[in-house]
């Protein structure tokens, strides 16, 4: 565990180059080329982290200002994914889930029951969070670990099933996304898209960014969409004209820079992927393998990012109007984009369809968070989590982005109450 904790603490931008460098050498890539591939992956992750950090740092204050401006007063505060990750990695089930997940993935690969080699170890916190909340309910390590591993297994299955469609939509060959924050919501995107196809008029709306750009030229380009959305969010926050302009430029910068950083990462990924494909085809001519990665690679798509920005005020509105909701969207508002990253291909990258799917997703998340808040708060206490600034010590917690408030996470947590 000391070794794993050391690796995890380095973060993806350090951890992933090491993993990809080793993988490249295993698959016969020369050391110089392997070094370059690994570093490009690391540089890409670092760039993605910096750009997403810019997005979160820019939108965080705007989201807080919206909350204050509209006088939202709910009893369960969204403490954000950093707190959620800390709860997951701070739970006593970590060694059982981490080594159990790696072993389960290996066994399924050997038995030809999965194609995904999930190297996205940092995001194991999604499964660990579900298990950590179950531990807060039951106090039983075996049941908690089993819940987390069931979550891991189902997400792995979804990663396999969605890989071909996602690869085609995002032009990313040989990868999949066993990412509990995103993968679990794919069925919702499929159902919503199917319903919209049956609704006259609504099924004719084509809000694909490529189509918008084709029709409106520069006014439909991602940088323009980012500028407009940044301005709208600044206005809703009640900011001054100069602050609104600053937010507009930063959001536009994210819309342009994030795809560029993803391209850097993909350049390194392609080297390892091609070498792996060549080697594995020789040994397993009838099999196909995917490298399991973080959906951060997908959020730079204009349809996903633009819709994610629109979901911020929508989430606040839902929090107010949904009867029985107790969750105040707060820290994770800027991270909502991750919830819709994998449904986009199933909604034809149509922002209207993605947005409607997003409304359904946020509704489910808010109700799940309201329901499990006592268990979630207890899990945070057991993990000795430090509350984010501005959250009172008597306030209950939940989060928008993470495994526990997904439909699957909620079901597993509710089932665990049988063993209290």
């Amino acid at each position: 565990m000391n070794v794993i904790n050391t690796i995890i603490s380095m973060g993806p931008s350090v951890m992933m180059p090491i993993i990809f460098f080793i993988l490249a050498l295993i698959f016969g890539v020369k050391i110089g080329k392997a070094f370059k591939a690994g570093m490009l992956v690391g540089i890409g992750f670092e760039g993605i982290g910096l750009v997403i950090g810019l997005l979160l740092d820019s939108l965080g204050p705007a989201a807080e200002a919206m909350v204050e401006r509209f006088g939202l007063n709910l009893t369960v505060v969204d403490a954000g994914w950093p707190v959620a990750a800390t709860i997951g990695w701070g739970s006593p089930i970590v060694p059982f889930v981490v080594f159990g997940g790696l072993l389960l993935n290996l066994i399924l690969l050997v038995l030809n029951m999965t194609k995904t080699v999930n190297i996205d170890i940092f995001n194991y916190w999604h499964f660990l969070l579900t298990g950590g909340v179950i531990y807060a309910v039951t106090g039983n390590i075996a049941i908690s670990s089993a819940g987390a591993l069931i979550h891991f297994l189902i997400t792995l299955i979804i990663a396999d099933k969605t890989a071909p469609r996602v690869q085609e939509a995002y032009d990313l060959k040989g990868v999949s996304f066993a990412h509990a924050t995103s993968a679990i919501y794919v069925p919702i995107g499929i159902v919503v898209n199917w319903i919209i196809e049956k609704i006259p008029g609504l099924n004719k709306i084509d809000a694909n960014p490529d189509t918008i750009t084709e029709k409106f030229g520069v006014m439909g380009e991602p940088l323009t969409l980012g500028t407009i959305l940044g301005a709208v969010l600044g206005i809703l926050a009640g900011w001054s004209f100069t602050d609104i302009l600053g937010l507009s430029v930063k959001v536009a910068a994210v819309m342009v820079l994030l795809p560029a950083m993803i391209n850097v990462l993909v350049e390194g990924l392609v080297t390892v992927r091609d070498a792996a494909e060549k080697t594995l085809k020789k040994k397993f001519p009838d099999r196909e393998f995917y490298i399991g990665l973080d959906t951060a690679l997908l959020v730079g798509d204009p349809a996903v990012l633009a819709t994610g920005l629109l979901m911020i005020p929508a989430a606040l509105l839902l929090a107010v109007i949904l009867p029985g909701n107790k969750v105040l969207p707060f820290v994770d508002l800027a991270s909502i984009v991750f919830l819709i990253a994998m449904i986009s291909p199933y909604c034809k990258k149509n922002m209207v369809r993605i947005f409607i799917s997003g409304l359904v997703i946020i509704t489910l998340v808010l109700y799940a968070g309201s329901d499990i808040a006592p268990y979630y708060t207890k899990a945070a206490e057991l993990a000795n989590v430090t509350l984010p600034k501005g959250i009172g010590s008597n306030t209950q917690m939940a989060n928008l982005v993470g495994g526990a408030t997904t439909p699957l996470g909620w079901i597993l947590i509710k089932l665990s109450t049988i063993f209290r």
Side-chain angles (χ1 to χ4, degrees):
M1 282 312 304
N2 286 335
V3 173
I4 286 188
N5 286 332
T6 300
I7 293 172
I8 294 299
S9 67
M10 291 189 295
S13 60
V14 177
M15 181 173 65
M16 298 309 280
I18 295 172
I19 292 174
F20 272 88
F21 175 70
I22 294 171
L23 285 174
L25 293 179
I26 290 172
F27 293 124
V29 178
K30 292 182 179 179
I31 190 167
K33 195 173 181 181
F35 171 77
K36 181 179 179 180
M39 287 305 296
L40 283 172
V41 169
I43 292 167
F45 266 109
E46 185 67 24
I48 290 170
L50 289 171
V51 177
I52 290 179
L54 172 63
L55 178 68
L56 300 184
D57 290 343
S58 302
L59 293 182
E64 291 179 27
M66 283 185 226
V67 170
E68 293 176 7
R69 188 181 186 201
F70 295 114
L72 302 183
N73 185 22
L74 298 164
T75 58
V76 179
V77 175
D78 154 38
W81 74 262
V83 168
T86 305
I87 294 171
W89 287 111
S91 65
I93 65 171
V94 169
F96 307 102
V97 175
V98 172
F99 290 114
L102 293 171
L103 181 60
L104 179 59
N105 195 178
L106 179 61
I107 291 171
L108 293 174
L109 286 165
V110 171
L111 297 177
N112 195 16
M113 296 178 69
T114 186
K115 299 177 181 179
T116 297
V117 184
N118 188 13
I119 63 173
D120 188 23
I121 299 173
F122 177 79
N123 282 315
Y124 272 36
W125 70 263
H126 296 126
F127 319 113
L128 288 165
L129 176 62
T130 299
V133 176
I134 292 174
Y135 181 77
V137 174
T138 65
N140 188 304
I141 288 179
I143 293 171
S144 308
S145 300
L149 290 172
I150 290 171
H151 201 156
F152 175 89
L153 176 61
I154 294 174
T155 306
L156 200 64
I157 293 169
I158 295 174
D160 276 350
K161 298 294 184 183
T162 57
R165 189 76 169 265
V166 172
Q167 288 175 23
E168 180 183 1
Y170 292 101
D171 194 24
L172 291 169
K173 185 181 176 184
V175 299
S176 65
F177 298 91
H179 199 243
T181 293
S182 305
I184 299 299
Y185 297 115
V186 169
I188 293 174
I190 293 172
V191 171
V192 170
N193 186 71
W194 181 83
I195 293 172
I196 291 175
E197 287 287 359
K198 308 296 180 183
I199 302 175
L202 189 60
N203 60 5
K204 299 297 182 184
I205 298 175
D206 186 4
N208 186 301
D210 292 336
T211 304
I212 294 173
T213 300
E214 187 177 323
K215 288 183 178 179
F216 298 101
V218 68
M219 294 306 296
E221 290 186 5
L223 67 90
T224 309
L225 288 174
T227 303
I228 294 170
L229 290 171
V232 169
L233 294 173
I235 291 169
L236 289 173
W239 283 2
S240 67
F241 179 72
T242 54
D243 288 337
I244 291 171
L245 286 181
L247 182 60
S248 295
V249 173
K250 288 176 181 177
V251 174
V254 170
M255 295 287 284
V256 174
L257 293 176
L258 195 51
M261 293 301 99
I262 291 170
N263 287 337
V264 173
L265 187 152
V266 170
E267 185 181 345
L269 174 64
V270 166
T271 300
V272 180
R273 183 200 67 200
D274 290 348
E277 187 175 40
K278 184 177 178 181
T279 302
L280 292 171
K281 282 294 183 184
K282 289 179 181 178
K283 295 185 178 182
F284 308 99
D286 299 324
R287 292 193 60 183
E288 185 179 16
F289 294 90
Y290 307 138
I291 298 174
L293 295 174
D294 189 333
T295 46
L297 271 73
L298 308 181
V299 299
D301 183 84
V304 175
L305 192 51
T307 310
L309 295 173
L310 290 170
M311 289 304 305
I312 293 174
L316 291 172
L317 179 61
L318 284 173
V320 173
I321 66 175
L322 287 175
N325 171 58
K326 301 176 184 177
V327 176
L328 171 65
F330 192 59
V331 181
D332 267 345
L333 276 169
S335 301
I336 287 177
V337 64
F338 285 92
L339 303 181
I340 58 175
M342 287 182 67
I343 69 172
S344 178
Y346 297 89
C347 294
K348 302 180 178 180
K349 289 194 174 182
N350 185 315
M351 291 190 292
V352 171
R353 300 185 183 199
I354 299 171
F355 183 76
I356 295 172
S357 300
L359 294 178
V360 176
I361 290 169
I362 291 296
T363 298
L364 294 174
V365 167
L366 290 175
Y367 279 130
S370 298
D371 190 46
I372 67 168
Y375 309 134
Y376 190 101
T377 305
K378 184 178 178 181
E381 292 170 355
L382 292 173
N384 296 316
V385 167
T386 302
L387 296 174
K389 184 179 178 181
I391 296 181
S393 59
N394 295 322
T395 305
Q396 289 188 325
M397 289 187 290
N399 74 308
L400 303 183
V401 177
T405 49
T406 63
L408 177 58
W410 177 81
I411 289 170
L412 291 169
I413 292 166
K414 294 301 287 184
L415 286 174
S416 74
T417 59
I418 298 170
F419 302 99
R420 280 190 293 182

